[in-house]
Amino acid sequence: MLFWILVAVLTAVVGAILLSPLLRGAKVADDGRAGEAAVYRDQLRELDRDLAGGLISQEEAGYARAEIGRRLLAVSGAGPSAAKVPARGHYLSQAFIIVLLPIVCLCLYLVKGNPGLPSQPLQARLEHPGNDLAISIVKVEQHLAQQPDDGKGWEVLAPIYLKTGRIGDAELAYRNVIRLLGPNAERLGNLGEVLIMKADGIVTAEARSSLQQSLALDADNPRALFYLALALEQDGKAEQAKTAFEALAKQSPPDAPWMAAVNDHIVKNGGAADTATADSANANAPGNPTSEQVAAADAMNSGDRQQMIRGMVEGLDAKLKDDPRNFEGWMRLIRSYAVLKDKDRAVDALKRSLKTFPADGGEGKQLLALAKELGLPTEVTQQ
């Protein structure tokens, strides 16, 4: 019962607030007419004084009095020429506010709301967060505030921070995981990758150290090998970077999700992509050019060739809508739009790919790393 009393009071208050400008407008109009009438009466008294003092003639005073009297009658709403003007009460607006607005709001609440649902304070929501990611984060943070040495808790929270774009918090969480649970290849690799993301795709000295420690624990760690090869590329050591990327390509399965990026870096550093891997990528990534299309492109002028390339990229985009699980296709599409200087479509493709491959997964991290490399705004895609 108390709930409905509060609803009625709030409705009355809101209605009064909405009605106030309408009622105030009528009052202001009345006050304005009263002020004009007072001015004309003052003019009549002034006219009588001028006549008594001999400043104007009787005839002039008569004309002036008639004109002032006509204006006074018009303002007062009297006289034969003054039509009765209806009050500007905004009747429809007032009726809607007083009658229809409460009825409409009540019907919407009865349909969408639940008046019998008990109130749920923050603590209760924390105990049962459901699918609310923000509440889940607060719950884990409260737990860690009370037990800061819970390494498992930090390990749960770190990828959530990363997924929500809180890179600095993710770095702190991964450091705590390593401090409390000890280093292993996966944890050191995670820290190295977060440090790279924090530096906008640059493999810093600290990130390189973390990745080298990860590689010492797992010599076949493809993530560490990839980023260490990228570090050589960023240092301008193209030949060493090419060798490192080629070594990673040889030890990786042809259908590994990182192979498209590896082959791109091999070519970028002056090498040639492995043909077997490229053929496998062609089989897995829809929209890649056939040998006939490549031959045809070589015979075209630059304008026609650019148009053909854009057509193939748009064809790849259309096919990925039917096959969104094709990771190699997404990697190629994002890079293709970036090469075509179409940043908006590249960002849109990145957003769509992350719906299939979440940012906290292996493929999602590779997509974000590619975006960093291409200069795309990854924080927008994670909102």
Side-chain angles (χ1 to χ4, degrees), residues 5-133:
I5 293 174
L6 291 174
V7 168
V9 171
L10 288 174
T11 303
V13 171
V14 172
I17 293 173
L18 295 176
L19 284 172
S20 177
L22 301 178
L23 299 176
R24 192 186 307 120
K27 183 178 183 299
V28 169
D30 291 339
D31 291 344
R33 287 191 291 270
E36 289 184 50
V39 170
Y40 292 140
R41 291 191 184 95
D42 288 340
Q43 289 180 353
L44 288 174
R45 286 191 290 270
E46 183 69 24
L47 183 61
D48 290 337
R49 286 194 294 270
D50 290 344
L51 180 60
L55 297 177
I56 60 174
S57 65
Q58 185 70 36
E59 183 179 2
E60 290 173 335
Y63 285 128
R65 185 176 289 106
E67 177 62 23
I68 295 172
R70 184 186 64 78
R71 295 180 181 180
L72 180 59
L73 290 173
V75 171
S76 302
S81 62
K84 190 66 175 177
V85 180
R88 298 179 180 178
H90 303 284
Y91 297 129
L92 290 178
S93 299
Q94 294 176 6
F96 176 79
I97 293 171
I98 295 172
V99 180
L100 295 180
L101 184 61
I103 293 175
V104 170
C105 293
L106 179 62
C107 292
L108 286 174
Y109 181 75
L110 291 175
V111 172
K112 296 293 185 180
N114 187 354
L117 186 67
S119 62
Q120 192 175 30
L122 177 60
Q123 189 59 42
R125 295 201 301 272
L126 290 176
E127 292 174 0
H128 305 284
N131 295 324
D132 192 330
L133 181 60

Side-chain angles (χ1 to χ4, degrees), residues 187-256:
R187 292 165 187 162
L188 289 165
N190 287 334
L191 177 59
E193 190 166 42
V194 167
L195 291 172
I196 293 170
M197 295 176 69
K198 184 180 178 181
D200 294 329
I202 302 300
V203 185
T204 62
E206 188 177 12
R208 187 179 308 189
S209 174
S210 181
L211 292 167
Q212 287 171 341
Q213 294 177 56
S214 174
L215 195 62
L217 297 173
D218 179 7
D220 296 327
N221 186 343
R223 176 170 55 175
L225 291 169
F226 178 87
Y227 284 123
L228 290 173
L230 181 62
L232 293 171
E233 178 184 303
Q234 292 174 351
D235 289 342
K237 302 175 181 178
E239 186 62 31
Q240 296 180 43
K242 177 173 72 69
T243 301
F245 280 119
E246 287 175 342
L248 176 57
K250 288 179 181 178
Q251 75 173 53
S252 301
D255 58 349

